[in-house]
mmCIF file of all heavy atoms in Angstrom:
data_model
loop_
_atom_site.group_PDB
_atom_site.id
_atom_site.type_symbol
_atom_site.label_atom_id
_atom_site.label_comp_id
_atom_site.label_asym_id
_atom_site.label_seq_id
_atom_site.Cartn_x
_atom_site.Cartn_y
_atom_site.Cartn_z
ATOM 1 N N ASN A 39 -7.755 -5.664 27.038
ATOM 2 C CA ASN A 39 -8.258 -6.909 27.615
ATOM 3 C C ASN A 39 -9.599 -6.742 28.326
ATOM 4 O O ASN A 39 -10.164 -7.715 28.814
ATOM 5 C CB ASN A 39 -7.254 -7.462 28.629
ATOM 6 C CG ASN A 39 -5.999 -8.009 27.981
ATOM 7 O OD1 ASN A 39 -6.010 -8.384 26.783
ATOM 8 N ND2 ASN A 39 -4.929 -8.031 28.707
ATOM 9 N N ARG A 40 -10.092 -5.527 28.386
ATOM 10 C CA ARG A 40 -11.215 -5.242 29.307
ATOM 11 C C ARG A 40 -12.462 -6.106 29.068
ATOM 12 O O ARG A 40 -13.002 -6.686 30.018
ATOM 13 C CB ARG A 40 -11.559 -3.766 29.248
ATOM 14 C CG ARG A 40 -12.608 -3.337 30.300
ATOM 15 C CD ARG A 40 -12.661 -1.853 30.432
ATOM 16 N NE ARG A 40 -11.383 -1.305 30.979
ATOM 17 C CZ ARG A 40 -11.105 -0.026 31.031
ATOM 18 N NH1 ARG A 40 -11.985 0.889 30.586
ATOM 19 N NH2 ARG A 40 -9.956 0.406 31.536
ATOM 20 N N ALA A 41 -12.893 -6.191 27.826
ATOM 21 C CA ALA A 41 -14.120 -6.950 27.534
ATOM 22 C C ALA A 41 -13.952 -8.422 27.856
ATOM 23 O O ALA A 41 -14.875 -9.068 28.424
ATOM 24 C CB ALA A 41 -14.554 -6.724 26.094
ATOM 25 N N LEU A 42 -12.808 -8.968 27.482
ATOM 26 C CA LEU A 42 -12.589 -10.414 27.715
ATOM 27 C C LEU A 42 -12.422 -10.679 29.212
ATOM 28 O O LEU A 42 -12.867 -11.696 29.735
ATOM 29 C CB LEU A 42 -11.367 -10.893 26.958
ATOM 30 C CG LEU A 42 -11.086 -12.393 26.964
ATOM 31 C CD1 LEU A 42 -12.348 -13.201 26.616
ATOM 32 C CD2 LEU A 42 -9.939 -12.730 26.060
ATOM 33 N N SER A 43 -11.748 -9.732 29.916
ATOM 34 C CA SER A 43 -11.526 -9.967 31.353
ATOM 35 C C SER A 43 -12.860 -10.016 32.130
ATOM 36 O O SER A 43 -12.974 -10.668 33.125
ATOM 37 C CB SER A 43 -10.632 -8.849 31.925
ATOM 38 O OG SER A 43 -11.277 -7.590 31.931
ATOM 39 N N VAL A 44 -13.892 -9.278 31.621
ATOM 40 C CA VAL A 44 -15.204 -9.335 32.280
ATOM 41 C C VAL A 44 -15.765 -10.748 32.243
ATOM 42 O O VAL A 44 -16.254 -11.263 33.235
ATOM 43 C CB VAL A 44 -16.165 -8.362 31.660
ATOM 44 C CG1 VAL A 44 -17.557 -8.553 32.135
ATOM 45 C CG2 VAL A 44 -15.698 -6.909 31.909
ATOM 46 N N SER A 45 -15.633 -11.415 31.062
ATOM 47 C CA SER A 45 -16.141 -12.767 30.980
ATOM 48 C C SER A 45 -15.334 -13.729 31.848
ATOM 49 O O SER A 45 -15.866 -14.624 32.468
ATOM 50 C CB SER A 45 -16.130 -13.204 29.490
ATOM 51 O OG SER A 45 -17.058 -12.509 28.759
ATOM 52 N N LEU A 46 -13.991 -13.507 31.888
ATOM 53 C CA LEU A 46 -13.134 -14.364 32.658
ATOM 54 C C LEU A 46 -13.470 -14.239 34.130
ATOM 55 O O LEU A 46 -13.403 -15.225 34.881
ATOM 56 C CB LEU A 46 -11.662 -14.046 32.395
ATOM 57 C CG LEU A 46 -11.089 -14.542 31.072
ATOM 58 C CD1 LEU A 46 -9.690 -13.939 30.872
ATOM 59 C CD2 LEU A 46 -11.032 -16.013 31.010
ATOM 60 N N ALA A 47 -13.849 -13.015 34.556
ATOM 61 C CA ALA A 47 -14.066 -12.801 35.999
ATOM 62 C C ALA A 47 -15.468 -13.104 36.388
ATOM 63 O O ALA A 47 -15.754 -13.576 37.529
ATOM 64 C CB ALA A 47 -13.746 -11.329 36.324
ATOM 65 N N GLU A 48 -16.446 -12.868 35.522
ATOM 66 C CA GLU A 48 -17.863 -12.911 35.936
ATOM 67 C C GLU A 48 -18.647 -14.087 35.359
ATOM 68 O O GLU A 48 -19.556 -14.605 36.012
ATOM 69 C CB GLU A 48 -18.545 -11.594 35.542
ATOM 70 C CG GLU A 48 -17.912 -10.395 36.238
ATOM 71 C CD GLU A 48 -18.568 -9.086 35.788
ATOM 72 O OE1 GLU A 48 -19.548 -9.157 34.990
ATOM 73 O OE2 GLU A 48 -18.181 -8.010 36.226
ATOM 74 N N ASP A 49 -18.337 -14.504 34.127
ATOM 75 C CA ASP A 49 -19.175 -15.530 33.462
ATOM 76 C C ASP A 49 -18.393 -16.234 32.378
ATOM 77 O O ASP A 49 -18.583 -15.929 31.166
ATOM 78 C CB ASP A 49 -20.469 -14.929 32.923
ATOM 79 C CG ASP A 49 -21.444 -15.943 32.433
ATOM 80 O OD1 ASP A 49 -21.150 -17.150 32.550
ATOM 81 O OD2 ASP A 49 -22.511 -15.581 31.945
ATOM 82 N N VAL A 50 -17.537 -17.192 32.753
ATOM 83 C CA VAL A 50 -16.723 -17.844 31.771
ATOM 84 C C VAL A 50 -17.517 -18.626 30.742
ATOM 85 O O VAL A 50 -17.118 -18.798 29.610
ATOM 86 C CB VAL A 50 -15.747 -18.848 32.503
ATOM 87 C CG1 VAL A 50 -15.014 -19.699 31.529
ATOM 88 C CG2 VAL A 50 -14.724 -18.049 33.354
ATOM 89 N N GLY A 51 -18.726 -19.016 31.170
ATOM 90 C CA GLY A 51 -19.605 -19.774 30.264
ATOM 91 C C GLY A 51 -19.922 -18.996 28.937
ATOM 92 O O GLY A 51 -20.228 -19.627 27.920
ATOM 93 N N ARG A 52 -19.834 -17.671 29.010
ATOM 94 C CA ARG A 52 -20.100 -16.862 27.804
ATOM 95 C C ARG A 52 -19.072 -17.066 26.713
ATOM 96 O O ARG A 52 -19.332 -16.760 25.546
ATOM 97 C CB ARG A 52 -20.199 -15.402 28.146
ATOM 98 C CG ARG A 52 -21.342 -15.030 29.076
ATOM 99 C CD ARG A 52 -21.380 -13.519 29.334
ATOM 100 N NE ARG A 52 -21.669 -12.807 28.146
ATOM 101 C CZ ARG A 52 -20.942 -11.858 27.615
ATOM 102 N NH1 ARG A 52 -19.788 -11.524 28.182
ATOM 103 N NH2 ARG A 52 -21.316 -11.228 26.499
ATOM 104 N N LEU A 53 -17.881 -17.559 27.050
ATOM 105 C CA LEU A 53 -16.836 -17.832 26.099
ATOM 106 C C LEU A 53 -17.071 -19.104 25.277
ATOM 107 O O LEU A 53 -16.398 -19.367 24.296
ATOM 108 C CB LEU A 53 -15.454 -17.928 26.796
ATOM 109 C CG LEU A 53 -15.078 -16.646 27.556
ATOM 110 C CD1 LEU A 53 -13.727 -16.883 28.282
ATOM 111 C CD2 LEU A 53 -14.941 -15.454 26.623
ATOM 112 N N ASP A 54 -18.025 -19.894 25.713
ATOM 113 C CA ASP A 54 -18.406 -21.112 24.990
ATOM 114 C C ASP A 54 -19.552 -20.760 24.045
ATOM 115 O O ASP A 54 -20.581 -20.209 24.489
ATOM 116 C CB ASP A 54 -18.868 -22.200 26.022
ATOM 117 C CG ASP A 54 -19.095 -23.525 25.346
ATOM 118 O OD1 ASP A 54 -19.499 -23.613 24.147
ATOM 119 O OD2 ASP A 54 -18.898 -24.540 26.007
#
Side-chain angles (χ1 to χ4, degrees):
N39 291 335
R40 187 165 294 171
L42 187 51
S43 69
V44 170
S45 290
L46 285 171
E48 298 178 2
D49 188 0
V50 172
R52 297 182 65 236
L53 300 177
D54 188 329

